[in-house]
Amino acid sequence: MIGSQMADSNASQHFIVQGDPVQSGQLNEHLQREPGVTRVAQVAPDVVILSMTKTQADRLKSTFATLVVEPDSALKPFDAD
């Protein structure tokens, strides 16, 4: 049986990406060579939201040691029931 995590690694999802490589332009330069990664929004000078697969997110983390890459879904607004 395949867990949902395995299935998710090939599906694009939104990730919040923060760090100096965003502000310096290094990330933009790298993304030009990374097909399938889409920039969704620029939230701050050093924060962007990217649409990409988990595999691509892991690759970004290993390419840029100072980059913080978190799934956007982990930061859902608080829902009071």
Side-chain angles (χ1 to χ4, degrees), residues 22-39:
V22 177
Q23 193 161 5
S24 70
Q26 283 180 299
L27 180 70
N28 267 346
E29 211 173 276
H30 175 78
L31 292 179
Q32 291 172 359
R33 300 184 301 274
E34 187 75 64
V37 177
T38 307
R39 186 171 159 155

Side-chain angles (χ1 to χ4, degrees), residues 16-23 26-27 30-31 46 48 50 52 57 59-70:
I16 296 172
V17 181
Q18 178 178 15
D20 189 52
V22 177
Q23 193 161 5
Q26 283 180 299
L27 180 70
H30 175 78
L31 292 179
D46 66 339
V48 290
L50 300 177
M52 59 188 162
R59 214 172 16 237
L60 270 187
K61 284 184 202 176
S62 63
T63 303
F64 299 103
T66 59
L67 212 55
V68 177
V69 181
E70 292 292 331

